[in-house]
Amino acid sequence: MKIKEEIKDGIKVIRLSGKVISGPDLMDLKTVFQTSINNDMGNVLLDLGHVAWMDSSGLGVLVSGHTSLAREGGRMAILNATKKINELFIITKLITIFETFTSEDEALASLKE
Amino acid sequence: MLKGIVLKIPSDGSVVESVQIFVEKIGITSGVSEEDATGLSIAVMEVVKNAMEHGNGGDPKKVVTIYIDAFPGRLQFLIDDCGTWQPDADLGHEPGEGEALISRRGRGVLIARNLARWLDYGLNPEGKTRATLIWPLS
């Protein structure tokens, strides 16, 4: 898994690619969420457009990021989840708690509200 | 055709990645496409992680044994742990509601059930918990 971070329109954007599955990389992703909170960047856009696969451990980190941000009054939006990842969100019903977008501009506008 | 492969692994999360790569290669060797082989390895490892955590209580001294066999039209994985636990009837069938949705309980089995064509729990001849996962080969 590769993680790229940038700030766009004042919003933290995290772009993931590859496989979001069990392994040391997941600790890095946890740290990225925690750093966002520590730096008062409570609204996060998570771009999954290049994520090929995700397992329950990867989902667990997303859920934990979502709840940690929400606890601090922030929000996490998900951008461009692929068909496979979207199916995963549907079977686990996490689609009901995640905010998902297919347009980066719309996602950023929503997070700035 | 692959026959009689037996993997004995400790209940230690640090081995998960390498076993996952091995399972993926088993899939590719058996004719599963590279893309689907990742799905196969995720399904198998979700069951293995469950066995490590629930069957063996995360004790690295307790092993999870994976028996791999290829048959015409299918790959079979038998995954044994050292426990005698019986999964709840609803484990891995429904994601739950409300707080249960946020909880990670059963999410791995739910994913495995949806990726594989068959996943069932029972006991092996020694009375220990055994998961049977079947992956069809085209």
Side-chain angles (χ1 to χ4, degrees), chain A residues 19 21-24 53-57 59-60 63 67 84 88 91-94 96-97, chain B residues 16-17 20 24 35 38-39 42 46 49 94-97 101-102 107-108 110-111 114-115:
Chain A
K19 299 173 186 174
I21 58 178
S22 302
W53 285 96
M54 192 178 290
D55 68 2
S56 64
S57 305
L59 275 177
V63 170
T67 49
K84 200 168 283 173
L88 201 56
I91 63 169
T92 55
K93 276 196 187 171
L94 291 173
T96 61
I97 65 163
Chain B
V16 167
E17 202 175 0
Q20 179 146 12
E24 203 169 309
E35 172 78 356
T38 301
I42 286 176
E46 292 291 5
K49 287 187 284 182
E94 288 294 330
E97 300 286 347
L101 200 57
I102 300 290
R107 195 180 288 144
L110 181 71
I111 291 170
N114 277 274
L115 286 173

